[in-house]
């Protein structure tokens, strides 16, 4: 498939973000594990912490990071759809301050 040149954050045929693979640490131009922005994305941290609250990636606690995000006011919208319009479960879409 590959990525075609286009608008940054624009539409793509498919977009799969690999967040982590066990405790593997990997850094190449094609793949970084754990995902380089995992701890910057509350919409990833909050549901991940629900299913794996004790998970540690790169020495950091997913549960603690999700708690910090929640303290900043991140909360589920409960609308059943993500911003892209696809269903992603009980934590459907999130609001973050400034977004």
């Amino acid at each position: 498939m590959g990525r075609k040149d286009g608008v940054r954050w624009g539409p793509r045929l498919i977009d799969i973000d690999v967040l982590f693979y066990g405790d593997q640490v990997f850094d190449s131009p094609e793949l970084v594990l754990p995902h380089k922005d995992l701890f910057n994305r509350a919409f990833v941290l909050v549901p991940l912490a629900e299913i794996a609250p004790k998970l540690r990636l790169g020495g950091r606690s997913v549960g603690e990071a999700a708690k910090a995000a929640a303290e900043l006011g991140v909360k589920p919208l409960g609308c059943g759809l993500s911003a892209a319009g696809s269903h992603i479960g009980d934590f459907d879409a999130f609001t973050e301050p400034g977004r």
Side-chain angles (χ1 to χ4, degrees), residues 16-97:
I16 299 173
D17 288 330
V18 179
L19 302 176
F20 64 96
Y21 186 72
D23 61 356
Q24 296 292 311
V25 176
F26 190 78
D27 191 352
S28 78
E30 292 82 25
L31 180 65
V32 176
L33 293 175
H35 191 286
K36 64 184 175 96
D37 289 324
L38 186 146
F39 285 95
N40 297 324
R41 296 181 174 166
F43 66 90
V44 172
L45 286 170
V46 174
L48 182 57
E50 280 223 330
I51 61 172
K54 296 181 181 180
L55 180 64
R56 296 187 71 79
L57 298 170
R60 296 177 69 185
S61 166
V62 168
E64 290 172 14
K67 182 179 176 188
E71 290 171 357
L72 292 173
V74 176
K75 60 184 179 182
L77 290 177
C79 63
L81 297 175
S82 71
S86 60
H87 182 72
I88 55 173
D90 292 335
F91 281 89
D92 303 319
F94 292 88
T95 57
E96 295 183 56

